Amino acid sequence: MAHSTIVDLTRIRLSRRSVIGAGAAALIAPRVLAKPGAPTAASNRFGPLAQGEVESHGLSTFGDLGEPADFKYFGYVNAKAPKGGTLALSPASSTYDSFNAYVLRGNPATGMTLVFDSLMNQSLDERDAYYGLVAKKVRISPDKLTYAFLLRKEARFHDGSPLTAHDAAFSLNILKSKGHPVISQMLRDLESAEAEADDVLVLRFAPDRTRDLPLSVVGQPIFSRAYYKDRDFAATTMEPPLGSGPYKVGAFEQGRYIAYHRNPDYWAKDLPITTGQANFDVVRFEYFGDSQVAFEAFKAGAFTEREENIARVWATGYDFPAFKEGRVKRTTTPNYNIPQIQGWFFNTRRKIFKDPRVREAIGYAFDYEWTSRNLMYDAYKRISSYFENSELEAKGLPSEQEKALLEPFRADLPAEVFGEPFVAPVSDGTGQDRVLLKKANDLFVAAGCTRKDGVLCLPDGTPLEFEFLDNSNVFERHTQPFIKNLKLLGVNAHIRVVDAAQYKQRLENFDFDVVHDVLMMSWNPGEELRAYFSSKTANVPGSRNLPGVSNPAIDSLVEKALQAQTREELVTCSRALDRALRAQRYWVPHWYNPVHRFAYWDLFGQPERPPKFDTGVLWTWWWDEDKAKKINFTGR
């Protein structure tokens, strides 16, 4: 049910296609490079392997790749899928005002990931495996601090100009110096990105670099160095950018729709990593300011595929003629991913939320069981962990290995960290559980709060009142009963819905009390941990650390997780981190969907099976003209 317009840049390296003037100063001084297009001396980098060097066609966190070097195509595609037709979608965001998705300013258009290629692309069948796209292969030094990429000489931008190692080096350096703060922070341990030849890119990493930095780097977009010779990379713009990916920006009307047109001359269309994918001639995103209006538009065929995130609509809304006649289909597929970690997050920079007992007490006023039964048809499961539904989730008492990580910080952590992890309370389902409300009142009293004329006040006499900030009314039905229970405790809370631009600005400047947010956790969590939970990001404008997490114990656990060299070490670190975070009560957790629910007009062909970690709609489905004629489709 995520309807936030936040661009979650922490997931750039984990997306299928990386989302976000020349001569701009980079943080690293590069070597003197040849002029764009000028020949360079052939590099000996890819001669015989040096002692201890490793060469690979792909990368993963711990070296596991499911596909051999000579694989023909992914198992979740139809290699002979036809090209054509239109896929029309509706994004979660309600508007856009920029085509630059890689800087802090502006609301970027959905789908810019379709325009740019990257060194490598991720398999949708594996949790963290990347295979060569622009890069044909990579050589890794024995100390794993130098990565040399051999680029494909056939790589081209949409204007026909060569895509070279000079462009790749420029892109990484400009992202580090001028990119969105989340990206620049992610790339901070990239010491240099240099072109040794037109087709050889050499990256050097800091000795203490994070474990997943190479994956973060290979998923970044590649820009044309020549294109930015007379353009400001950091500026917002409505000029369609020059890319090299399978699609180009086509027709658009700012804030209403944007269409991406397939490039029939796409240089990589016959590579194993792209075969059977990007099958639609047009991918179009239709924008709507209201979720109900969007659903009505779907019923009319204004867009043709919809992942259904509202249980009420899934249970009661599909009674319209096109569905009854079989022209619209519904289906579910298992969700093997760690779910979106969704909830109401407290801004602990605010004085009223400094005490974790106050935050916990507020959480007791939310009756999830009543909400689930009466508003969501019991279609979801409650979240308690930051690594819900995975082996990374803390359960039971901590292991000896977890204790060893936690013990040095016993003074900075609540005692419960060394016992059972905190679990969201279970109510009696009445909507006004007296037992839980009494626990909430007891916590307020323990925190030194008092009542005055029915109003709960903090120890200094400040009334405890706050607002839930959002840019959509989709959660109003869930929030109002929560607010009602808070009022019984003497807490005055209300909802404020603002437009997308104001919402983005307020979040970037941490100008909010409580906000709905969604954290995207990966199977091998890495750089996103620092983005979400490190004190280094707590006060960086535009950072994803919305609650303002700043705790030395959590900092240490984050860094240990980033440095873990085996899966076993990472699991231990993540479980310990989960205990520490849950004990601090930074949020009131929401719920997650154990399946993907989606509906679509019966216009599409589909492979024999979907990929394991994605629905596959955008990348692997195709337009079926016979089906379109059969249902006499008259929509878009």
Side-chain angles (χ1 to χ4, degrees):
M1 295 183 62
H3 286 257
S4 170
T5 59
I6 300 171
V7 179
D8 193 346
L9 294 166
T10 63
R11 297 289 291 175
I12 284 175
R13 73 169 182 83
L14 297 176
S15 62
R16 180 62 181 85
R17 297 276 176 180
S18 298
V19 179
I20 2 195
L27 295 183
I28 312 295
R31 295 177 182 176
V32 177
L33 303 177
K35 295 180 180 179
T40 56
S43 172
N44 295 321
R45 174 74 65 171
F46 283 87
L49 283 168
Q51 185 175 2
E53 268 191 331
V54 175
E55 185 173 280
S56 179
H57 62 294
L59 293 173
S60 71
T61 301
F62 297 112
D64 302 323
L65 295 174
E67 302 290 349
D70 61 350
F71 81 101
K72 303 301 181 185
Y73 49 84
F74 290 123
Y76 52 81
V77 306
N78 173 4
K80 298 180 179 180
K83 308 294 184 183
T86 296
L87 173 66
L89 307 168
S90 180
S93 55
S94 59
T95 190
Y96 69 90
D97 58 18
S98 177
F99 289 151
N100 189 348
Y102 301 96
V103 296
L104 181 61
R105 297 171 59 194
N107 292 301
T110 300
M112 294 308 296
T113 54
L114 300 167
V115 175
F116 298 103
D117 278 328
S118 52
L119 291 171
M120 293 184 170
N121 264 354
Q122 187 179 19
S123 165
L124 302 182
D125 244 7
E126 300 173 68
R127 296 188 188 276
D128 69 338
Y130 283 73
Y131 296 92
L133 178 60
V134 172
K136 187 175 184 178
K137 55 186 175 181
V138 59
R139 282 195 175 181
I140 306 169
S141 65
D143 61 5
K144 298 182 179 180
L145 296 181
T146 302
Y147 282 56
F149 295 86
L150 180 63
L151 273 57
R152 300 182 193 272
K153 294 183 178 181
E154 63 269 32
R156 291 290 184 274
F157 289 104
H158 292 153
D159 64 356
S161 61
L163 188 164
T164 71
H166 304 286
D167 298 298
F170 162 79
S171 301
L172 291 170
N173 285 325
I174 201 74
L175 284 169
K176 182 172 179 179
S177 63
K178 291 192 173 184
H180 193 285
V182 171
I183 301 177
S184 60
Q185 178 70 9
M186 188 185 299
L187 299 179
R188 73 197 171 283
D189 289 334
L190 174 63
E191 289 193 336
S192 65
E194 303 171 346
E196 279 195 356
D198 285 349
D199 60 345
V200 177
L201 174 70
V202 179
L203 307 180
R204 293 180 175 85
F205 302 129
D208 58 348
R209 59 98 168 168
T210 57
R211 181 194 60 252
D212 65 337
L213 178 57
L215 301 189
S216 299
V217 168
V218 299
Q220 300 300 328
I222 298 176
F223 309 112
S224 165
R225 182 173 64 162
Y227 178 81
Y228 282 101
K229 183 178 181 180
D230 55 1
R231 291 174 175 86
D232 180 5
F233 177 81
T236 59
T237 178
M238 291 302 297
E239 177 187 10
L242 175 63
S244 62
Y247 289 90
K248 305 177 182 180
V249 174
F252 65 90
E253 185 174 339
Q254 183 177 339
R256 293 192 62 187
Y257 72 88
I258 181 170
Y260 297 88
H261 293 183
R262 186 174 61 85
N263 178 15
D265 300 319
Y266 179 41
W267 71 270
K269 62 184 178 181
D270 296 321
L271 293 179
I273 194 171
T274 59
T275 296
Q277 301 179 68
N279 301 316
F280 296 101
D281 278 350
V282 177
V283 175
R284 182 179 173 110
F285 293 93
E286 299 282 351
Y287 285 78
F288 302 94
D290 180 87
S291 60
Q292 185 58 43
V293 172
F295 185 54
E296 293 301 321
F298 172 74
K299 293 193 294 184
F303 62 99
T304 49
E305 192 275 341
R306 167 185 174 92
E307 186 154 4
E308 188 55 74
N309 294 315
I310 303 177
R312 172 181 52 82
V313 175
W314 187 256
T316 66
Y318 286 82
D319 58 354
F320 52 94
F323 180 73
K324 292 179 178 179
E325 295 162 5
R327 293 184 292 141
V328 169
K329 304 287 187 181
R330 290 194 310 176
T331 190
T332 62
T333 59
N335 185 356
Y336 296 111
N337 295 292
I338 294 179
Q340 298 183 30
I341 306 304
Q342 175 178 292
W344 287 295
F345 285 79
F346 299 103
N347 183 357
T348 63
R349 304 170 189 85
R350 296 281 205 249
K351 180 178 65 173
I352 59 173
F353 298 132
K354 288 295 184 183
D355 193 322
R357 293 170 295 186
V358 169
R359 305 195 293 266
E360 181 178 350
I362 291 172
Y364 277 111
F366 175 55
D367 192 325
Y368 170 76
E369 282 63 37
W370 182 92
T371 302
S372 177
R373 185 178 68 249
N374 290 278
L375 302 181
M376 302 189 298
Y377 299 85
D378 286 329
Y380 300 94
K381 294 183 178 180
R382 185 80 191 269
I383 294 173
S384 283
S385 169
Y386 287 84
F387 304 100
E388 190 74 31
N389 195 36
S390 77
E391 65 175 335
L392 307 175
E393 177 183 352
K395 294 181 178 179
L397 297 175
S399 66
E400 292 303 315
Q401 292 83 357
E402 290 174 65
K403 288 180 182 177
L405 294 174
L406 296 166
E407 188 60 42
F409 299 95
R410 184 176 285 272
D412 298 308
L413 294 169
E416 75 176 51
V417 169
F418 297 89
E420 297 276 347
F422 179 76
V423 176
V426 177
S427 77
D428 61 9
T430 62
Q432 192 173 310
D433 188 319
R434 294 186 177 184
V435 173
L436 294 186
L437 292 177
K438 183 179 184 305
K439 288 183 178 180
N441 187 69
D442 292 344
L443 282 166
F444 282 135
V445 171
C449 299
T450 57
R451 280 192 186 234
K452 183 178 181 181
D453 298 327
V455 176
L456 190 73
C457 297
L458 296 173
D460 65 357
T462 303
L464 181 50
E465 55 184 10
F466 61 89
E467 69 177 20
F468 292 87
L469 181 69
D470 212 329
N471 68 333
S472 165
N473 61 4
V474 71
F475 286 110
E476 185 172 354
R477 296 166 65 246
H478 309 79
T479 312
Q480 288 293 4
F482 188 6
I483 290 174
K484 179 182 177 181
N485 281 343
L486 287 169
K487 287 187 181 300
L488 295 175
L489 294 165
V491 179
N492 182 27
H494 59 278
I495 302 170
R496 182 183 296 275
V497 177
V498 298
D499 62 55
Q502 184 179 354
Y503 183 74
K504 181 176 182 290
Q505 183 180 47
R506 288 188 61 175
L507 263 59
E508 288 173 351
N509 294 312
F510 311 121
D511 181 18
F512 63 89
D513 295 330
V514 176
V515 67
H516 158 256
D517 193 20
V518 175
L519 309 183
M520 306 294 292
M521 293 298 189
S522 68
W523 184 248
N524 291 317
E527 188 61 41
E528 64 265 32
L529 298 180
R530 187 179 279 144
Y532 292 144
F533 309 127
S534 173
S535 59
K536 295 178 181 178
T537 62
N539 294 302
V540 176
S543 92
R544 295 291 283 109
N545 186 350
L546 294 183
V549 179
S550 182
N551 181 285
I554 290 173
D555 284 345
S556 174
L557 293 169
V558 164
E559 296 306 315
K560 289 182 184 301
L562 292 174
Q563 298 297 330
Q565 297 302 306
T566 66
R567 178 69 187 170
E568 292 73 21
E569 289 179 17
L570 180 59
V571 169
T572 298
C573 292
S574 299
R575 289 175 177 174
L577 176 61
D578 192 29
R579 293 177 189 278
L581 288 168
R582 288 159 72 174
Q584 296 292 344
R585 315 294 197 267
Y586 290 117
W587 65 335
V588 179
H590 279 187
W591 45 87
Y592 74 96
N593 193 348
V595 298
H596 294 290
R597 296 185 302 242
F598 53 97
Y600 56 94
W601 284 78
D602 193 16
L603 305 166
F604 308 113
Q606 304 174 34
E608 291 183 2
R609 69 169 181 85
K612 293 178 181 177
F613 301 109
D614 193 89
T615 63
V617 173
L618 176 58
W619 290 104
T620 70
W621 287 19
W622 62 91
W623 178 267
D624 189 318
E625 188 63 31
D626 291 337
K627 287 185 175 181
K629 291 178 180 178
K630 183 178 180 180
I631 69 171
N632 192 28
F633 181 69
T634 57
R636 186 165 306 283

